[in-house]
Amino acid sequence: MRKTANGIARALAAGLLLLCAGSAATGSAQDASETIVLRAARMFDATSERMRSDAVVVVRNGQIIGVGDDAPIPDGARTIDLGDATLLPGFIDVHSHLTLEPDENYYRKTLNELMRNPTEMAFYAGANARRTLEAGFTTVRHVGAREFIDVGLRNAIAANLTPGPRILAAGNAITATGGSCDRAPYPTQRVAPLTPREGVCTGADQCRDAVRNQIKWGADVIKVCASGGVLSYDPVDVPQFTREELDAAIGEAHHWGRKVAAHSHGDTASRLAVEAGVDSIEHGSFLSEDTLKRMKAKGVFLVPTFMAIDWVEKNADSYPPNIAEKARAAAAAHGDMFKTALRLGVPIALGTDATVRPDGHGRNAMEFGLMVDAGMPPVAALLAGTSNAARLLGLDAEIGTLGVGKAADIVAVPGNPIIDIRVTERPLFVMQRGRVIRQGGQSLLH
């Protein structure tokens, strides 16, 4: 059933895919069967907290076929020696919005999102995807997009039509009528209200229908907006779904084999989502210790999105007064919440919500440094953006660590990121599924 639904989505999106196409889209024109040996001064393979000195990775046909000094190296292999650098698994951003274009002007951003048609938005999304890949993020979870542009972009990237990270697409976010992910209250005579097909629902039956619609049109993952938001028109910490509605949406998603991410700043809303079986809480600004304990007990991930929180706190004065007030309140609570999560050992995955910042797309690795600034050890931050993120996505058998049989998604950064975590923002080398995307600090995309 899932293959059928995704096949329909790909066929319907075919015209959109071509809009994103470009020549030599996915990197250097190397032979896919070529064996490449990567060497560096050190390696963080994300299977433990240890930095390795036997920094050798052997790649062929898009997969890792050897790791470490004892890895067999076939005759004729090409060696890339990266010198005083650290090899890591490709970075993963589990809270991405590539289809949204950042803008420091709140009103202009709102107008652009309303006025741009899907074709134009697809071009912006393609550019944002390219920047994200060049920054070393080889996989993203895309948590909400209108008109299924994220599904089209995912398919275009998979078809080698345009460069970008591997995408797990959510389609439209599931939101209550008038909720955080609904449209602003535009006059209905001018802007048509959204429906369950676009993710807006009231009551358990409509919520099931909304989830099924996203899956029908190709969603890999489901996002629910459990509480209000900072940049929306609603109260930031108010629950927006009943427990019955959450049970319906999350249960339906799990029935179809999709994981669920919950946008939720508020504590009560988050607790309801955790009790309903959600897989991750996004943002989590006002989470109490009790809710965090429940998350740990159930294995629910926290995705703190510091890049977004940091921006809205520093630029609160640029927003409308009611949004500025919410931004300050969320930022004030967020840091203490995160420290409590660290103390309790709540599983944490890296997610950026990069579109909140005007310079966000392509600077996703800022999240590593912001987490460390908030008290997270550098090793834990690296795990959050590699193996932990892969585990949350259910892709840990394929990505997230450097090991034999894993996809050849590999990043090299200068120096030692455990000593200076911000070197993650300056990748020297990026490989995606065996193709070299960046080398010598320069992009090889055309």
Side-chain angles (χ1 to χ4, degrees), residues 60-301:
R60 185 173 61 219
N61 292 329
Q63 284 193 318
I64 297 172
I65 63 170
V67 176
D69 286 339
D70 58 352
I73 300 175
D75 291 340
R78 176 164 69 98
T79 297
I80 300 176
D81 192 333
L82 297 162
D84 185 22
T86 301
L87 296 173
L88 304 104
F91 301 146
I92 303 170
D93 183 347
V94 304
H95 192 111
S96 174
H97 289 288
L98 298 173
T99 60
L100 296 177
E101 185 66 12
D103 196 319
E104 62 186 2
N105 185 312
Y106 177 85
Y107 300 99
R108 183 170 56 207
K109 177 181 172 71
T110 302
L111 180 63
N112 284 339
E113 289 176 6
L114 180 64
M115 297 300 294
R116 285 176 178 158
N117 63 41
T119 303
E120 185 178 4
M121 292 177 69
F123 280 105
Y124 282 100
N128 294 334
R130 174 184 178 133
R131 295 186 191 105
T132 301
L133 177 60
E134 290 172 335
F137 283 79
T138 52
T139 300
V140 303
R141 183 178 63 170
H142 199 275
V143 284
R146 297 293 185 212
E147 288 87 25
F148 297 98
I149 294 173
D150 58 341
V151 172
L153 180 61
R154 176 198 68 194
N155 296 346
I157 291 169
N160 202 31
L161 295 174
T162 191
R166 174 180 183 165
I167 293 175
L168 273 69
N172 297 281
I174 308 302
T175 185
T177 302
S180 176
C181 298
D182 195 0
R183 276 181 176 155
Y186 303 118
T188 58
Q189 300 91 334
R190 295 185 176 91
V191 180
L194 300 176
T195 71
R197 182 183 181 276
E198 292 85 35
V200 179
C201 54
T202 295
D205 288 343
Q206 279 196 3
C207 289
R208 288 191 190 92
D209 187 33
V211 169
R212 289 170 180 168
N213 268 284
Q214 306 324 302
I215 294 170
K216 174 180 180 178
W217 302 110
D220 305 297
V221 64
I222 296 297
K223 179 185 179 181
V224 298
C225 292
S227 88
V230 170
L231 299 182
S232 50
Y233 291 84
D234 46 357
V236 67
D237 58 348
V238 171
Q240 297 190 340
F241 282 122
T242 65
R243 173 62 190 274
E244 182 184 21
E245 290 170 325
L246 287 170
D247 283 342
I250 295 171
E252 191 67 21
H254 286 169
H255 178 74
W256 288 77
R258 270 52 166 194
K259 291 195 172 190
V260 182
H263 158 101
S264 189
H265 288 276
D267 183 62
T268 300
S270 299
R271 186 167 63 252
L272 288 171
V274 170
E275 291 171 351
V278 79
D279 297 287
S280 65
I281 296 292
E282 316 293 303
H283 316 302
S285 300
F286 302 103
L287 295 179
S288 67
E289 182 163 337
D290 179 65
T291 299
L292 288 165
K293 286 179 178 177
R294 296 185 191 203
M295 290 171 62
K296 181 183 179 183
K298 289 178 172 286
V300 178
F301 277 77

Side-chain angles (χ1 to χ4, degrees), residues 299-347:
V300 178
F301 277 77
L302 171 67
V303 182
T305 63
F306 272 100
M307 281 181 67
I309 297 294
D310 176 72
W311 175 263
V312 298
E313 178 184 26
K314 292 177 179 176
N315 296 275
D317 290 344
S318 68
Y319 293 106
N322 62 321
I323 290 177
E325 181 180 356
K326 292 191 293 178
R328 295 188 185 99
H334 191 268
D336 289 340
M337 176 280 298
F338 186 69
K339 288 180 173 62
T340 303
L342 290 175
R343 173 170 56 82
L344 295 175
V346 176

